[in-house]
Amino acid sequence: MLNNQGRQTDINTAAALSNNNVTTHSGNRGLDQEELLIYEIGNSQTCGVDLEEVGEFKNRLGGVTRDNEIGLAGLSEPECMRHYTRLSRKNYAIDMGLYPLGSCTMKHNPRINEKVVRLPGLGDIHPLQPVSTVQGALDLMDTLAHWLKTLTGMPAVAMSPKAGAHGELCGVMAIKAALDKRGENRTVILAPESAHGTNPATAALCGYKIKNIPSTKDGRVDLQALKDALGPDVAGIMLTNPNTCGLFERDIIEIADAVHAAGGYFYCDGANFNAIVGKVRPGDLGVDAMHINLHKTFSTPHGGGGPGAGPVVLSEALAPFAPVPYVVHGEDGFDLVEHVTDDGCSKDSFGRMTAFHGQMGMNIRALAFMMSHGTDGLARVAEDSVLNANYVMASLSDVMTASFDGPCMHECLFDDRFLADTGVATLDFAKAMIDEGYHPMTMYFPLVVHGAMLIEPTESESKQSVDQFVGSLRHLVEQAKSGNKDLFSGAPYLAPRKRLDETRAARSPVLRWTKPE
Amino acid sequence: MRYLPLSQTDREAMLAKIGVSHVNDLFKDVPRDALLKEHVDLPTHMSEMEVEREFNGFANKNVPAGSVPFFVGAGAYRHYVPSSVDHLIQRGEFLTAYTPYQPEISQGTLQALYEFQTQVAQITGMEVSNASMYDGSTACGEAVLMARRATRKKKAILSGTLNPQYVEVVRTVTKYTDDVAVVNPVGTYFLDDLIAQIDDETSCVVVQNPDFFGNIQDYTKLAEAAHAKKALLVVVVTEVVSLGAVRSPGSMGADIVVGEGQSIGNGLTFGGPYVGLLATRQKFVRTMPGRVCGETVDADGKRGFVLTLSTREQHIRREKATSNICTNAGLCTLAFTIHMTLLGEKGFRHLAQLNHAKAVTLADKLDAIDGVSVLNDSFFNEFTVSLPMGAAEAVERLADQDVIAGVPLSRLYPDNPDMTNKLLVAVTETVTEDDMDRLVAELKELAHA
């Protein structure tokens, strides 16, 4: 290697100075660059946008004008590009490597989806422009609805929920509305111990009390305990299937039958639909309502925390209670039902959940993903995701402790028994994965096993990629068992930041920048 | 299949390692009859080129806002978003990251959220902001529930000039709890009427600025009246660009400000995804819904950012959480922050002035048409016009002439005869003088036909 004087670099000196022995003036470490806040770089005079001059005009703000300084900092376009490009490089992402977050389904995000959503005829249309000028948009929503109904075997779908949890709210509100119509005041929703936190939070938003159903030793809902809990006070059950232990609920049909026999409804949390899409239709299992996270199964990018989309498929029993708006076939093409009226198809609707019509941008991406795969490809999505997860489990179960016997579905669950006596906790083990170049798996969830580690590789990983990941985990297990505690307790060592003080952040919250005194 | 890397050889090797002979053996826990024997009845896979062709087909049946003189607002606004915004949010490191639960490898997303929270707090005149809600309307629903938690009272009073879709969302979220939403008669804002309704049971009063019909109010007296009864003032802002010209809700005494942030950084996309803003005072921070990012240090003492105060949230608190929200509007917040950073103080104020100036110009032109009148006392970039005919019909007929004139208020208030002739007209920086003249000419023709 030549330096700028054209001399050979002294390999021995370079090695000696590498890593922590080199200090830099800038705080940067090569490509690992530090970046200040916009308020520390920019100022109130800089602007990265050229705007038309404003001519003379008579102000009509009614005297309510903003005169004092707001405090915003501006950057020119080159500064702005650099600032956010530098920040982006401090993130892990699915584009960089396997992202095994169980229950989150971090799969490849196809770029054709990003291209079509930006077509002016789709990206540049207003939700309240005349219906005659958005027939293509309504057609698209209707087409996506058809795909979702066909894949789930359900007769109706509510398209407006904005995310999975919003979809849960939609489903539980439909249940409440149906019970109101029946004149029944049921007060309890059942949820298994392994449920996502959103399930009880959603039920509580609708005024329900939560009753937990225990799990059996094989990681499934305890059917007998469920039957014992059922009664005239039970509005329904919220159950994830495949469940959060990564297992298919074998008794699902019996569960649905028991809930229905007791007069309740079956809400299925569809977070794990990826495992069964094209292979099993929830409608065949007795489901009354299920949200579909388009940002999981149908790969609309997660964007560092959203946006998502959570359409909810509904059974015949719940369909009349669906929220407005929705698309209908009218005389002159597609039309929108935007209001609850005393007569007509929306008379039993529980109302409106959001302004406008839902997450169109995510609907477009999801439909592009579906059309790309087709009915054949979607079944293969489920098969390959399940295959990859079982392969991970088979490749690690001799050194890590799988919580339940297989086969698993699209994710596999381990607990911390294999770390017993090593002094390494699940958290430390996960943080050490960062140094290996991986995002950690989901930790400490579900709550039904100790020190849970939930691994979901998804179908978009190659065998080579999964093998490499397995290799890293086996290496870490070996290190933990051989007493190399430091590798874990201080991890990560090689990330843009070392372990962050979360207690300090919560104890005295600093939630915004303020001008130094 | 271009997205599925496993080859047939790989699959066989992996099945062998697992110890089964067929992939369906892995689905053995599925009830036998429920495992589909053949593919569901949908089209088979398509090439990328074919997919693009399908979507061009959908797109070509719509009229893009940018292709015609366009004046539609009512809660979503067409602004020009600089190209660099879209390039940056499409960087894979932002686009394809999950929620930043592992802060050591998520500082990019987290620092951008911290900048977002600061910007939102600044423009609303509040002390703190969360890391976003789904959109303005759901943020409004959350604000009502938050006011209940903060005051331990249950009656929310909604102004008659609040966006009607927001009113419906609040009605829906309060429907199955024991909250009470009192909705005032639609139309004009009467300060004294609202003040008279505030009693000891009142958790909050919800108003909008500029209001749904475009008028701008100073809510200082309303805030004082609410505070005298230990109730909160919630101010909704659906056009955030207005905050570059109109006094902030915080300076009027608002306790919670909710907003639709779409105008900054985010396109129309037929109604979503957008970005809900929710800002409040420091003392209410622990009753706030949603994620929030905070500053801290790492083990080396370097500044870093984390998601914090998560003991309010569903994944920790379950049924006792402040909200069930999980995934929010991450990438839309990033677009907001980048666009706002490009604008800065100077650009944000300039943009607001430009919007207002254009709206004033069009309002004067429309007012000059015989039979047409602008009904507002004040406005920012949107105002209500009275037409000598049904507004819905006018909009349809103008659409046939390739002018999209605004939102006929009958679409949002179908049962209200007062709204039949009223048109809500929005004007942003994207509207040209020629666009305005087209609208004026077409309306003149229609009015005098």
Side-chain angles (χ1 to χ4, degrees):
Chain A
M1 195 194 293
L2 295 174
N3 62 25
N4 64 359
Q5 265 89 46
R7 282 177 291 140
Q8 232 15 64
T9 299
D10 181 340
I11 304 283
N12 291 324
T13 310
L17 286 174
S18 68
N19 279 328
N20 295 324
N21 297 326
V22 177
T23 54
T24 61
H25 168 72
S26 60
N28 299 336
R29 302 183 69 77
L31 286 182
D32 181 6
Q33 297 165 312
E34 290 298 315
E35 187 62 9
L36 296 168
L37 291 161
I38 49 174
Y39 297 95
E40 296 157 340
I41 309 168
N43 60 65
S44 63
Q45 288 311 303
T46 305
C47 180
V49 180
D50 290 326
L51 295 160
E52 198 180 313
E53 290 305 317
V54 182
E56 285 289 307
F57 72 101
K58 193 169 162 285
N59 176 313
R60 307 247 335 235
L61 296 171
V64 194
T65 55
R66 186 164 199 166
D67 301 320
N68 59 329
E69 187 178 311
I70 300 168
L72 295 167
L75 297 179
S76 64
E77 181 170 312
E79 292 172 296
C80 185
M81 284 302 289
R82 186 171 293 163
H83 175 69
Y84 289 103
T85 301
R86 282 179 164 209
L87 286 188
S88 74
R89 293 166 51 91
K90 298 176 189 301
N91 270 3
Y92 191 84
I94 187 72
D95 280 358
M96 295 161 70
L98 192 149
Y99 213 127
L101 265 181
S103 225
C104 300
T105 313
M106 292 297 283
K107 63 170 75 172
H108 171 64
N109 301 129
R111 292 315 199 270
I112 182 65
N113 306 359
E114 297 303 312
K115 186 177 182 186
V116 296
V117 77
R118 288 167 172 82
L119 293 169
L122 296 175
D124 190 25
I125 50 174
H126 191 289
L128 292 177
Q129 67 185 70
V131 166
S132 59
T133 65
V134 291
Q135 286 294 303
L138 302 186
D139 187 4
L140 194 156
M141 284 173 74
D142 190 63
T143 305
L144 175 58
H146 174 72
W147 279 75
L148 293 174
K149 289 186 289 187
T150 307
L151 287 167
T152 55
M154 301 284 280
V157 59
M159 298 294 288
S160 70
K162 297 283 213 179
H166 208 221
E168 291 178 30
L169 193 59
C170 173
V172 175
M173 283 184 167
I175 289 170
K176 182 97 176 165
L179 289 167
D180 283 353
K181 175 103 176 170
R182 274 162 44 183
E184 292 178 36
N185 180 28
R186 294 172 175 242
T187 54
V188 174
I189 292 266
L190 306 179
E193 289 176 328
S194 58
H196 293 116
T198 48
N199 292 177
T202 299
L205 269 176
C206 295
Y208 284 112
K209 289 197 275 288
I210 311 298
K211 201 187 274 183
N212 280 314
I213 304 297
S215 299
T216 57
K217 282 198 190 107
D218 68 352
R220 281 142 176 117
V221 171
D222 185 331
L223 183 61
Q224 194 52 51
L226 169 79
K227 284 181 173 169
D228 294 344
L230 284 168
D233 58 336
V234 174
I237 185 167
M238 295 182 86
L239 180 67
T240 308
N241 186 46
N243 71 21
T244 59
C245 301
L247 303 169
F248 198 93
E249 292 284 353
R250 286 186 205 113
D251 299 326
I252 188 91
I253 291 174
E254 224 180 323
I255 291 170
D257 288 346
V259 171
H260 289 152
Y265 294 97
F266 176 10
Y267 185 89
C268 184
D269 180 327
N272 295 336
F273 189 50
N274 202 50
I276 58 170
V277 59
K279 299 286 288 180
V280 181
R281 298 183 305 178
D284 295 336
L285 306 173
V287 168
D288 289 300
M290 182 180 91
H291 73 263
I292 300 164
N293 307 80
L294 298 186
H295 48 293
K296 295 181 182 178
T297 307
F298 300 113
S299 183
T300 74
H302 204 282
V312 178
V313 289
L314 297 165
S315 64
E316 294 287 358
L318 293 184
F321 307 98
V324 290
Y326 47 81
V327 178
V328 291
H329 297 253
E331 280 171 26
D332 308 317
F334 295 98
D335 206 355
L336 271 167
V337 174
E338 294 182 281
H339 299 278
V340 181
T341 49
D342 292 339
D343 44 12
C345 54
S346 65
K347 67 178 169 21
D348 288 326
S349 165
F350 68 73
R352 172 179 283 276
M353 299 192 74
T354 176
F356 312 127
H357 323 305
Q359 303 286 66
M360 184 62 164
M362 309 337 269
N363 294 347
I364 294 165
R365 292 172 173 93
L367 183 60
F369 182 90
M370 291 178 185
M371 286 182 164
S372 294
H373 286 82
T375 184
D376 49 334
L378 288 172
R380 183 127 268 180
V381 161
E383 290 173 1
D384 284 359
S385 71
V386 171
L387 181 58
N388 268 345
N390 278 282
Y391 181 65
V392 167
M393 187 153 132
S395 305
L396 289 172
S397 53
D398 58 329
V399 292
M400 288 170 66
T401 36
S403 300
F404 303 106
D405 289 339
C408 61
M409 298 307 286
H410 68 315
E411 54 194 351
C412 51
L413 179 62
F414 297 93
D415 52 48
D416 62 2
R417 283 173 293 164
F418 73 96
L419 292 172
D421 307 324
T422 62
V424 175
T426 290
L427 179 73
D428 303 324
F429 190 81
K431 294 291 185 192
M433 286 170 68
I434 294 174
D435 288 332
E436 284 285 328
Y438 291 104
H439 193 284
M441 69 294 257
T442 292
M443 294 178 272
Y444 301 108
F445 180 84
L447 309 174
V448 291
V449 299
H450 196 268
M453 301 175 208
L454 187 63
I455 297 176
E456 178 179 5
T458 84
E459 75 281 2
S460 58
E461 294 306 320
S462 68
K463 178 172 180 292
Q464 186 267 347
S465 157
V466 175
D467 283 338
Q468 214 166 41
F469 172 71
V470 163
S472 279
L473 287 191
R474 293 186 72 91
H475 165 75
L476 289 177
V477 174
E478 204 175 283
Q479 291 298 309
K481 288 183 173 166
S482 64
N484 189 0
K485 255 177 75 172
D486 291 347
L487 186 68
F488 300 90
S489 58
Y493 295 99
L494 306 175
R497 281 292 177 271
K498 295 211 173 136
R499 223 177 280 192
L500 287 141
D501 188 345
E502 306 206 22
T503 312
R504 171 180 163 143
R507 199 164 284 163
S508 38
V510 180
L511 308 181
R512 60 172 288 187
W513 177 85
T514 43
K515 208 171 185 169
E517 297 283 311
Chain B
M1 266 310 304
R2 59 190 178 277
Y3 306 133
L4 298 174
L6 295 184
S7 69
Q8 210 42 46
T9 315
D10 291 334
R11 291 186 181 107
E12 278 158 25
M14 293 164 81
L15 288 170
K17 168 86 185 173
I18 297 162
V20 297
S21 56
H22 191 276
V23 70
N24 275 353
D25 297 341
L26 302 174
F27 289 84
K28 75 180 178 63
D29 291 326
V30 176
R32 220 189 138 100
D33 293 341
L35 194 66
L36 295 171
K37 308 283 184 296
E38 49 196 57
H39 295 316
V40 294
D41 184 17
L42 287 166
T44 54
H45 65 273
M46 282 184 197
S47 69
E48 186 170 321
M49 188 175 73
E50 289 170 304
V51 169
E52 188 168 334
R53 194 177 291 149
E54 289 286 323
F55 283 83
N56 277 321
F58 290 122
N60 291 341
K61 288 194 286 174
N62 299 324
V63 178
S67 69
V68 291
F70 190 84
F71 303 92
V72 183
Y77 300 87
R78 182 167 192 270
H79 290 284
Y80 186 80
V81 178
S83 312
S84 51
V85 174
D86 203 37
H87 277 271
L88 284 167
I89 68 166
Q90 285 196 75
R91 282 191 65 92
E93 300 92 327
F94 283 132
L95 184 76
T96 76
Y98 197 71
T99 303
Y101 288 136
Q102 297 294 331
E104 298 87 354
I105 47 171
S106 309
Q107 285 298 304
T109 294
L110 286 161
Q111 184 170 329
L113 282 178
Y114 190 77
E115 292 174 352
F116 169 82
Q117 289 173 186
T118 306
Q119 288 172 336
V120 172
Q122 289 175 324
I123 61 171
T124 55
M126 303 303 285
E127 289 162 352
V128 290
S129 156
N130 76 4
S132 82
M133 312 302 291
Y134 308 130
D135 69 356
S137 67
T138 56
C140 185
E142 291 276 12
V144 168
L145 300 181
M146 176 179 159
R148 193 244 306 232
R149 288 191 296 275
T151 62
R152 298 173 187 277
K153 297 189 285 186
K154 290 173 183 167
K155 189 169 113 184
I157 298 170
L158 275 51
S159 161
T161 56
L162 178 60
N163 181 313
Q165 295 193 329
Y166 286 46
V167 171
E168 288 178 53
V169 171
V170 171
R171 275 205 179 113
T172 304
V173 299
T174 54
K175 193 168 181 174
Y176 299 125
T177 58
D178 48 2
D179 294 82
V180 183
V182 179
V183 184
N184 276 269
V186 166
T188 329
Y189 163 79
F190 292 113
L191 175 65
D192 293 342
D193 282 4
L194 277 184
I195 289 178
Q197 290 167 38
I198 304 171
D199 60 20
D200 291 333
E201 306 304 309
T202 305
S203 61
C204 62
V205 184
V206 186
V207 293
Q208 181 172 330
N209 215 28
D211 71 22
F212 182 65
F213 303 94
N215 289 293
I216 300 169
Q217 310 288 349
D218 183 344
Y219 290 116
T220 307
K221 286 207 172 76
L222 186 61
E224 286 164 4
H227 295 160
K229 294 279 185 191
K230 293 191 166 34
L232 307 189
L233 179 69
V234 177
V235 177
V236 174
V237 180
T238 62
E239 169 53 297
V240 286
V241 174
S242 69
L243 294 170
V246 177
R247 263 184 65 195
S248 73
S251 72
M252 299 177 188
D255 300 286
I256 305 173
V257 181
V258 296
E260 174 49 72
Q262 169 270 330
S263 284
I264 301 293
N266 290 276
L268 291 171
T269 326
F270 204 51
Y274 291 170
V275 45
L277 314 182
L278 195 150
T280 188
R281 305 202 174 278
Q282 185 75 39
K283 64 178 171 182
F284 298 125
V285 73
R286 284 172 203 273
T287 57
M288 189 167 69
R291 296 199 182 106
V292 59
C293 167
E295 185 185 319
T296 187
V297 293
D298 78 350
D300 288 341
K302 286 186 188 166
R303 178 171 70 187
F305 303 92
V306 294
L307 291 180
T308 191
L309 303 180
S310 52
T311 49
R312 300 165 297 115
E313 291 188 71
Q314 47 78 24
H315 61 281
I316 309 283
R317 287 282 273 181
R318 300 174 83 83
E319 63 265 34
K320 293 191 178 66
T322 55
S323 168
N324 72 337
I325 193 168
C326 183
T327 290
N328 51 16
L331 203 66
C332 302
T333 68
L334 181 67
F336 178 102
T337 296
I338 297 171
H339 189 183
M340 191 61 96
T341 300
L342 284 165
L343 288 166
E345 178 92 12
K346 200 173 160 192
F348 186 53
R349 284 180 175 280
H350 187 162
L351 181 65
Q353 286 303 319
L354 187 57
N355 273 255
H356 185 47
K358 290 199 177 229
V360 169
T361 304
L362 181 63
D364 289 345
K365 285 175 192 265
L366 292 176
D367 234 356
I369 304 173
D370 250 359
V372 175
S373 55
V374 174
L375 301 176
N376 292 54
D377 295 330
S378 58
F379 59 86
F380 171 63
N381 69 353
E382 186 166 30
F383 48 81
T384 309
V385 176
S386 167
L387 300 179
M389 76 207 74
E393 192 201 338
V395 166
E396 275 303 327
R397 287 174 60 184
L398 289 173
D400 291 341
Q401 304 302 315
D402 292 330
V403 173
I404 300 190
V407 181
L409 288 178
S410 58
R411 180 162 176 185
L412 291 144
Y413 299 101
D415 302 325
N416 189 328
D418 289 349
M419 299 294 173
T420 310
N421 289 4
K422 288 178 187 164
L423 180 69
L424 195 60
V425 177
V427 192
T428 72
E429 75 284 0
T430 61
V431 171
T432 65
E433 198 84 17
D434 283 350
D435 291 341
M436 297 188 199
D437 292 340
R438 273 292 307 283
L439 174 64
V440 169
E442 295 291 346
L443 260 184
K444 261 187 192 160
E445 192 161 315
L446 206 58
H448 302 143

